[in-house]
């Protein structure tokens, strides 16, 4: 916390201004502290970008759009009435142009979790809408994303993304065909897919402490 200036060291103009408005000398610094408290920095991920699959190159065009903001302790759960420090809100948009079918499929989801580190983030969203011809079974399903913000782009993006389907979230079991595992809150693989166009901005913030009882 910034130390309060002592009256004997306060600049004369500030002293006169305080006297003119009839406020205590400490009023201005206290107001500034309150304003700072109201502007608590929360984590966020924003932006839209196209990317390629390094393990399956094709002519398809895939893109993700994120508008996600942390909202700590805003989603009460059974047994966890306070919610979680990773609670979040916002939207995710998925777009996939199939070159083979010459058609673009889209889906949208509501963000429920976000956690960040410097230049990195993982977030999850529950799918709420799928375009015609898309996988309707995905509605109500939680999916995970990871983002690496490579900084300001200079001719070529250094950002990357990852996501929790297309074979990266399977449950091998004996001789049976592997099944896709459920995705928990904020669960996603590393950001393995290079961005080719567009980019993301990750605003990192530390997870807040537990709320006071």
């Amino acid at each position: 916390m910034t130390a309060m200036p002592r009256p004997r060291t306060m600049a004369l103009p500030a002293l006169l201004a305080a006297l003119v408005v009839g406020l205590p000398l400490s009023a201005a610094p206290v107001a500034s502290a309150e304003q700072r408290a109201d502007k608590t920095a929360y984590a966020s991920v924003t932006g839209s970008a196209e990317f390629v699959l390094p393990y399956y190159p094709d002519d398809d065009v895939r893109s993700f759009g994120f508008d996600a903001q942390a909202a700590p302790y805003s989603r009460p759960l059974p047994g966890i009435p306070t919610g979680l420090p990773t609670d979040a809100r916002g939207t995710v948009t998925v777009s996939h142009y199939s070159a083979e079918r010459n058609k673009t499929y889209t889906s949208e989801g509501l963000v429920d979790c976000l956690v960040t580190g410097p230049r990195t983030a993982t977030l999850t969203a529950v799918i709420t809408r799928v375009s015609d011809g898309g996988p309707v079974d995905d509605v109500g399903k939680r999916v995970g994303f990871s983002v690496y913000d490579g900084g300001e782009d200079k001719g070529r993006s250094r950002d990357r993304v990852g996501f929790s389907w297309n074979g990266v979230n399977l449950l091998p079991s004996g001789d049976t065909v592997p099944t896709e595992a459920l995705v928990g809150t904020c669960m996603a693989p590393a950001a393995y897919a290079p961005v080719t166009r567009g980019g993301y901005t990750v605003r990192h913030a530390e997870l807040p402490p537990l709320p006071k009882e």
Side-chain angles (χ1 to χ4, degrees):
M1 182 180 292
T2 303
M4 299 285 287
R6 297 179 181 176
R8 60 185 177 86
T9 61
M10 182 175 289
L12 182 59
L15 176 60
L16 292 176
L19 292 174
V20 168
V21 298
L23 295 174
L25 297 182
S26 60
V30 169
S32 297
E34 292 174 351
Q35 292 172 358
R36 286 194 297 271
D38 291 339
K39 296 180 179 179
T40 302
Y42 287 137
S44 64
V45 180
T46 55
S48 180
E50 297 176 2
F51 60 92
V52 294
L53 298 178
Y55 55 87
Y56 190 72
D58 57 20
D59 294 325
D60 289 5
V61 180
R62 303 169 175 86
S63 68
F64 294 150
F66 302 122
D67 184 11
Q69 302 84 36
Y73 305 111
S74 62
R75 295 175 176 271
L77 294 170
I80 313 176
T82 61
L84 300 170
T86 54
D87 288 343
R89 61 174 179 268
T91 56
V92 166
T93 302
V94 177
S95 176
H96 180 187
Y97 166 75
S98 170
E100 180 181 359
R101 300 180 182 179
N102 191 28
K103 184 173 182 178
T104 298
Y105 302 94
T106 61
S107 59
E108 298 173 358
L110 294 178
V111 174
D112 63 358
C113 189
L114 170 65
V115 63
T116 63
R119 293 194 174 188
T120 64
T122 60
L123 62 152
T124 48
V126 177
I127 299 300
T128 56
R129 189 190 72 83
V130 175
S131 65
D132 292 342
V136 293
D137 291 345
D138 283 356
V139 174
K141 178 181 177 181
R142 178 179 290 105
V143 291
F145 305 88
S146 58
V147 178
Y148 170 71
D149 179 358
E152 294 184 7
D153 300 333
K154 296 181 179 179
R156 187 172 185 272
S157 177
R158 293 173 293 173
D159 295 358
R160 302 175 72 91
V161 293
F163 52 101
S164 63
W165 62 97
N166 271 33
V168 299
N169 185 38
L170 298 179
L171 286 175
S173 178
D175 296 330
T176 61
V177 176
T179 58
E180 186 172 306
L182 294 175
V183 175
T185 56
C186 276
M187 293 292 100
Y192 55 84
V195 164
T196 56
R197 183 179 180 183
Y200 302 108
T201 300
V202 174
R203 179 182 179 182
H204 169 57
E206 300 295 337
L207 294 175
L210 291 171
K212 297 180 180 179
E213 296 182 357

